[in-house]
Amino acid sequence: MKTMLWHVDKIHNNHGSYPQITQAAQLLRDNEVVAFPTETVYGLGANAASDEAVSKIFAAKGRPGDNPLIVHISDSAQLHSLVVDIPDKAYELMSAFWPGPLTIIFRLREGSVSRHVTAGLNTIAVRMPDHPVALALIEESGLPIAAPSANKSGRPSPTAAAHVLADLSGEIAGVVDGGETGVGVESTVLDCTGDIPVVLRPGGISREDIESIVGEIAVDPALAGSGEVPKSPGMKYTHYAPAAPLFLADGPQEWIQQQIDEKRQDGLKVGVLATEESAEAYKADVVIPCGRRADLTTVAHSLYSSLRYFDTEKADLIFAEVFPVEGVGAAIMNRLEKAAGHRWLREKQ
Ligand code: TXA
Ligand code: MG
């Protein structure tokens, strides 16, 4: 299959005049799969109501069928056709954070979407992305759009159209290139079907942000390594992994440098995921300054492209600095832990 590529720089109000959006929306209505930018990462979109269209997403990604998809909408009115109950707290959160990187789990309106979207669950994940291209495309298609991140399963999520093409060129109908995404990590997934909202996946909206609106919330204990099965099916899979083994290095710079030196003496090509503050201090084969430690939103923004870069450079092994689990740091460390397969190196006392 030839993958179409459209570029969209800016969207003004009248997106009907953008032939790129019109063509991409038509492919979605034809039950084809089209990748598009959101504020978090690129999504791989398809008509959520069509078994045929949604099956194409799973096939292109190589995604296990038990991992449900997020449905993307451009207008709150679409929500009523997808869910049967909108709790008060969900209303408050939507008015605070939509459009934006918060996915809310609701009770499913049976029959509203393909059963492949929800992987047979009686709940549905919905979000309204804060990106003019995504909103224009969804609106123009007139459909609720099911969209996982537009990477092959197990690869880091794409934050640029080039990443999507690297993984899926020739396997999907098209990619709308709207430039680099902003947030850089996926949306926060919040289950609002019970009395107390529960974070199933940390993401672009922090726990602290959510609690400032609805008071105390809970976090799925599986995320803290309780050993329980995560409530969000996707969280049980190893994810975001670069080709080389990655280790979380928790210790002072000098000690991390010693770890690097030992591996280089063994003849290995060593990568370091550092920050702009620390990168110059390391002597290694590939040192990537991934944002600024003083502003973790910049680390989130660059995280996945940095992980992909180690693959391009063919590092044999990667050491990553670690970050405080606060604000967006919770999402960064969740993704790094998965990329590392939970391998930590700690300085022995
Ligand atoms: O930022 C994002 O959320 C991006 C962009 C494209 O919107 N999308 C994304 O989708 O990250 P995906 O498929 O890579 O991750 C969706 C997550 C998975 O962990 C999945 O298990 C969970 O949401 N999920 C979807 N529906 C669910 C449901 N009904 N109950 C619990 N978890 C659900
Ligand atoms: Mg994903």
Side-chain angles (χ1 to χ4, degrees):
M1 168 185 301
K2 186 181 175 305
T3 300
M4 301 275 297
L5 177 64
W6 303 275
H7 296 272
V8 183
D9 284 338
K10 279 198 197 83
I11 295 269
H12 302 292
N13 288 339
N14 183 11
H15 52 76
S17 61
Y18 280 79
Q20 309 94 310
I21 297 290
T22 316
Q23 286 174 25
Q26 184 58 48
L27 282 176
L28 289 171
R29 282 194 298 273
D30 292 342
N31 292 338
E32 293 296 339
V33 168
V34 173
F36 60 94
T38 80
E39 80 283 31
T40 57
V41 302
Y42 273 72
L44 190 60
N47 176 3
S50 159
D51 286 344
E52 180 202 356
V54 173
S55 299
K56 288 180 185 171
I57 292 179
F58 284 88
K61 280 190 64 107
R63 180 176 177 110
D66 69 348
N67 191 2
L69 307 177
I70 296 170
V71 176
H72 296 64
I73 60 176
S74 58
D75 183 331
S76 302
Q78 280 176 291
L79 188 60
H80 298 275
S81 68
L82 302 170
V83 311
V84 285
D85 179 35
I86 306 179
D88 289 344
K89 284 181 182 164
Y91 270 115
E92 289 167 33
L93 291 168
M94 289 188 287
S95 77
F97 300 119
W98 279 12
L102 178 69
T103 293
I104 300 180
I105 311 279
F106 297 94
R107 285 176 52 215
L108 170 70
R109 184 177 291 279
E110 291 294 336
S112 63
V113 293
S114 160
R115 66 199 154 80
H116 302 306
V117 169
T118 53
L121 299 173
N122 57 8
T123 56
I124 181 171
V126 185
R127 91 174 188 100
M128 188 189 294
D130 186 15
H131 194 292
V133 173
L135 292 171
L137 182 63
I138 298 165
E139 192 182 328
E140 181 75 16
S141 73
L143 300 167
I145 298 295
S149 49
N151 50 285
K152 282 275 184 195
S153 268
R155 296 269 296 147
S157 294
T159 55
H163 301 159
V164 178
L165 290 169
D167 280 15
L168 295 168
S169 184
E171 298 176 58
I172 58 176
V175 180
V176 185
D177 180 352
E180 262 184 46
T181 62
V183 177
V185 292
E186 300 87 343
S187 62
T188 303
V189 177
L190 188 72
D191 183 352
C192 285
T193 59
D195 290 341
I196 297 176
V198 184
V199 175
L200 305 188
R201 175 177 76 177
I205 300 283
S206 70
R207 174 184 190 165
E208 295 85 342
D209 293 337
I210 295 169
E211 291 188 330
S212 76
I213 305 294
V214 293
E216 205 176 326
I217 60 169
V219 175
D220 183 356
L223 295 183
S226 69
E228 288 164 54
V229 178
K231 294 195 180 58
S232 176
M235 298 302 286
K236 69 176 181 281
Y237 295 105
T238 311
H239 255 92
Y240 319 115
L246 185 142
F247 295 88
L248 298 172
D250 186 10
Q253 255 168 40
E254 308 74 58
W255 170 81
I256 297 177
Q257 185 63 52
Q258 284 168 17
Q259 313 307 305
I260 298 167
D261 292 343
E262 281 174 22
K263 295 298 177 190
R264 293 181 87 202
Q265 277 154 21
D266 293 344
L268 297 176
K269 185 167 181 181
V270 177
V272 185
L273 185 81
T275 58
E276 284 174 29
E277 289 93 332
S278 66
E280 297 213 335
Y282 292 112
K283 212 170 158 303
D285 300 288
V286 193
V287 182
I288 300 188
C290 178
R292 294 189 306 282
R293 182 169 289 275
D295 178 0
L296 292 185
T297 62
T298 63
V299 176
H301 171 83
S302 302
L303 184 64
Y304 288 136
S305 59
S306 301
L307 292 177
R308 279 181 183 259
Y309 190 70
F310 288 115
D311 289 351
T312 315
E313 291 291 309
K314 302 205 165 28
D316 294 317
L317 177 134
I318 306 159
F319 293 108
E321 290 186 357
V322 299
F323 299 91
V325 185
E326 284 162 24
V328 75
I332 295 168
M333 285 309 296
N334 172 268
R335 307 309 189 265
L336 274 178
E337 286 241 26
K338 288 172 153 248
H342 305 280
R343 281 176 296 231
W344 282 81
L345 288 180
R346 290 195 175 87
E347 191 184 20
K348 293 199 178 61
Q349 299 297 326

